[in-house]
Amino acid sequence: MAKFYARRRLSILAALTGLIASVGLFNGPTASAALPTPVSAATARTYLASLTVATEDRTGYSRDLFNHWITISGTCNTRETVLKRDGTNVVTSSACAATSGTWFSPYDGATWTAAADLDIDHLVPLAEAWDSGADSWTSTQRQNFANDLTRPQLIAVTDNVNQAKSDQDPAEWMPSVTSYRCTYVRAWVQVKYYYDLSVDSAEKSALTSYLASC
């Protein structure tokens, strides 16, 4: 019985701590939640084994086909929402633009204090999605993919690193911070699995290799 009440007190304390943290969200800037945690390496390996292997369709892609940076809440669009989520002590204007804060880019290990130095990376690029099955999606499906805050698909990173990545898959490009690569490939596979996107043979081989080291 004593153990029961001890556990109950701990549960109440945890609930109160969560409530205080929630109140803090409204009272001032807080540290970032960052990228939603990807599935485990074991789950990612299971997902990868079930993905269709197919040659990519490299025709017809246009970024305009993916309506991105839609309004999420109030005056905040997707980019601004991710900047607030991924930054520390982020201050925003009435238009939700980040006016100050600190951001750590896990791809290259750089730290930035100006939002202009950051891009919001689609971890699975829009062009990669198009080539892997999104060419058959509806406009709504493509919009959902381009603004997905639930899966580990959007992350604030150094702008020129994101531009260097472009639409390359893990057979062609990986974060220079090797300790982040396991997180990256787990997220990649989770997103591809959720959206039922295919992988090409080189991509699957690279993902298999990286996941074996996770």
Side-chain angles (χ1 to χ4, degrees), residues 7-80:
R7 288 197 298 270
R8 184 173 176 81
R9 284 195 295 271
L10 287 173
S11 297
I12 293 171
L13 179 59
L16 287 172
T17 300
L19 178 60
I20 290 168
S22 298
V23 172
L25 290 174
F26 296 98
N27 290 339
T30 61
S32 70
L35 186 78
T37 303
V39 295
S40 68
T43 298
R45 285 191 285 269
T46 299
Y47 284 178
L48 179 60
S50 73
L51 294 181
T52 299
V53 178
T55 302
E56 292 184 349
D57 172 15
R58 288 282 180 178
T59 60
Y61 167 72
S62 169
R63 191 173 178 84
D64 293 338
L65 294 169
F66 292 80
N67 184 25
H68 53 288
W69 305 167
I70 62 173
T71 299
I72 299 298
S73 177
T75 59
C76 300
N77 66 20
T78 314
R79 171 183 165 81
E80 293 156 346

Side-chain angles (χ1 to χ4, degrees), residues 22-160:
S22 298
V23 172
L25 290 174
F26 296 98
N27 290 339
T30 61
S32 70
L35 186 78
T37 303
V39 295
S40 68
T43 298
R45 285 191 285 269
T46 299
Y47 284 178
L48 179 60
S50 73
L51 294 181
T52 299
V53 178
T55 302
E56 292 184 349
D57 172 15
R58 288 282 180 178
T59 60
Y61 167 72
S62 169
R63 191 173 178 84
D64 293 338
L65 294 169
F66 292 80
N67 184 25
H68 53 288
W69 305 167
I70 62 173
T71 299
I72 299 298
S73 177
T75 59
C76 300
N77 66 20
T78 314
R79 171 183 165 81
E80 293 156 346
T81 301
V82 175
L83 284 173
K84 288 201 295 181
R85 183 198 71 186
D86 288 3
T88 300
N89 296 325
V90 178
V91 176
T92 58
S93 69
S94 59
C96 203
T99 57
S100 65
T102 302
W103 292 267
F104 175 77
S105 170
Y107 287 3
D108 58 334
T111 298
W112 303 98
T113 56
D117 290 321
L118 297 143
D119 279 353
I120 307 304
D121 180 39
H122 288 95
L123 195 136
V124 174
L126 303 182
E128 169 70 21
W130 177 270
D131 297 339
S132 305
D135 56 342
S136 65
W137 290 354
T138 65
S139 297
T140 298
Q141 287 174 311
R142 287 193 286 267
Q143 176 176 293
N144 291 341
F145 177 83
N147 299 278
D148 189 348
L149 293 166
T150 303
R151 263 62 55 182
Q153 164 66 347
L154 297 173
I155 185 170
V157 297
T158 303
D159 54 3
N160 60 1

